[in-house]
Amino acid sequence: RDRLLDAVEGTRRGAATTPAARAAIEEAVDELERLGKGKTYTGAELSAAWRLVWTTEKETLWLLENGGLFGTAAGESYQVIDVEAGSLNNIITFPPGGLFNVDSDISADGAQRTNFQFTAAALTVGEPFPLLGGRTFNLPPKGQGWFDTVYMDERIRVAKDIRGDTLVVERSDYVIPK
């Protein structure tokens, strides 16, 4: 775990990953995946707010790097999972007050796979926009798929998804704003 966290340091959550850093990250992910083989990661322990540390997911990286289009730099990115409620929220913050949120229904499919179906998406415009600040715009949700949690401990979770992307997140105390 520590090797992975060291390797992602300075990569701007994946946007500035050099080939050497990518190789070190992939090696650390492979090692953690071996440690997680055969373990169950789809139960209540998956429920948490998870803060993005690193990803290869292009759409997320684009939003994080181009937050200025929304009038502010992107803040943090989170996955908030509630296994009992069958919900997952993917959130990118745009301080002050901006938020992009995609809601999903989830269901376990074995020991490590979680299926998801997007159900709603909304963009709340932050305060820097004089006429639109504070307004929420609903967007059509589109997509479904799965992710495998290949490693999880009390601090981090590593997932690989249907498109071959990798996600590294760490537990957070984030609460979705009402």
Side-chain angles (χ1 to χ4, degrees):
R1 168 184 79 187
D2 292 337
R3 279 186 357 143
L4 176 58
L5 293 174
D6 287 345
V8 302
E9 190 73 31
T11 65
R12 291 196 339 258
R13 297 177 279 202
T17 304
T18 65
R22 176 79 182 243
I25 292 165
E26 288 176 355
E27 184 178 312
V29 165
D30 289 347
E31 182 180 323
L32 291 174
E33 188 172 4
R34 282 191 295 278
L35 291 172
K37 190 170 180 69
K39 295 189 177 173
T40 298
Y41 296 131
T42 54
E45 68 280 357
L46 183 60
S47 293
W50 300 95
R51 185 181 64 81
L52 178 65
V53 176
W54 186 85
T55 189
T56 59
E57 207 276 322
K58 290 171 188 57
E59 292 84 357
T60 299
L61 291 172
W62 187 89
L63 284 169
L64 291 169
E65 289 297 298
N66 294 284
L69 297 174
F70 302 104
T72 180
E76 296 292 345
S77 178
Y78 300 94
Q79 278 193 336
V80 180
I81 298 174
D82 185 333
V83 171
E84 186 176 330
S87 69
L88 176 146
N89 294 81
N90 286 306
I91 297 165
I92 298 176
T93 63
F94 294 96
L99 185 78
F100 180 61
N101 183 8
V102 178
D103 298 337
S104 305
D105 290 335
I106 60 168
S107 61
D109 183 11
Q112 296 188 340
R113 180 154 297 170
T114 301
N115 295 315
F116 63 86
Q117 169 75 48
F118 298 139
T119 58
L123 175 66
T124 300
V125 179
E127 300 306 319
F129 281 99
L131 299 175
L132 300 176
R135 294 186 58 196
T136 298
F137 298 90
N138 293 318
L139 306 168
K142 186 174 179 174
Q144 64 182 21
W146 54 260
F147 62 87
D148 290 336
T149 298
V150 298
Y151 177 82
M152 184 169 56
D153 64 23
E154 69 284 348
R155 183 172 175 197
I156 71 166
R157 178 171 62 92
V158 178
K160 294 185 174 183
D161 70 19
I162 189 171
R163 298 188 317 176
D165 287 315
T166 301
L167 176 82
V168 179
V169 290
E170 64 183 353
R171 289 184 192 271
S172 168
D173 58 1
Y174 179 78
V175 177
I176 300 172
K178 300 294 180 196

